[in-house]
């Protein structure tokens, strides 16, 4: 993952598309999986860890344009954003509901 500060918005979009395509499970969050910087991001990280999912991630706080370009691309305004198999699953509420129902574990193949 490269430093976005020297990238154009178009290059950031290409990086986002690449991250989503190259990782079966990818999470855009505030902070890092080891040090989430918001409760919603922390909750999704904990759910993924409990489910045993291997996932890539990107800290949207590193450059505000990441969040702007990501939200325009996904048409989802909030962070975190979880992608599985190239498709947006959703944010914290949807991920939590899917986990509680067992649907997330089925999607991840961890059930």
């Amino acid at each position: 993952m490269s430093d976005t500060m020297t990238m154009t918005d178009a290059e950031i979009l290409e990086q986002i598309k690449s991250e989503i395509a190259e990782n079966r499970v990818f999470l855009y969050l505030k902070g890092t999986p080891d040090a989430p910087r918001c409760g919603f991001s922390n909750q999704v990280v904990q759910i993924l860890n409990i489910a045993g999912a291997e996932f890539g991630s990107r800290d949207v706080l590193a450059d505000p344009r990441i969040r702007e370009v990501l939200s325009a691309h996904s048409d989802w305004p909030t962070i975190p954003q979880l992608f599985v198999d190239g498709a947006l699953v959703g944010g914290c509420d949807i991920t939590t509901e899917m986990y509680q129902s067992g649907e997330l574990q089925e999607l991840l193949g961890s059930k």
Side-chain angles (χ1 to χ4, degrees), residues 69-107:
V69 173
L70 172 64
S71 291
H73 171 67
S74 66
D75 200 27
W76 192 265
T78 60
I79 302 296
Q81 292 186 25
L82 177 64
F83 290 82
V84 177
D85 294 327
L88 175 66
V89 170
C92 182
D93 291 348
I94 292 172
T95 301
T96 301
E97 288 171 15
M98 288 178 68
Y99 176 74
Q100 290 172 340
S101 72
E103 188 180 351
L104 183 66
Q105 294 88 319
E106 288 180 28
L107 180 63

Side-chain angles (χ1 to χ4, degrees), residues 13-25:
L13 177 58
E14 287 309 308
Q15 180 170 330
I16 288 168
K17 289 179 179 179
S18 176
E19 290 167 344
I20 293 168
E22 293 173 8
N23 293 273
R24 179 162 185 268
V25 181

Side-chain angles (χ1 to χ4, degrees), residues 33-72:
D34 292 335
R37 292 183 54 196
C38 88
F40 298 117
S41 293
N42 182 55
Q43 185 165 328
V44 174
V45 166
Q46 295 306 314
I47 287 170
L48 291 173
N49 287 337
I50 291 167
E54 290 186 26
F55 62 98
S57 65
R58 162 92 44 197
D59 178 4
V60 301
L61 298 176
D63 180 342
R65 295 177 307 144
I66 298 170
R67 181 178 182 164
E68 293 167 15
V69 173
L70 172 64
S71 291

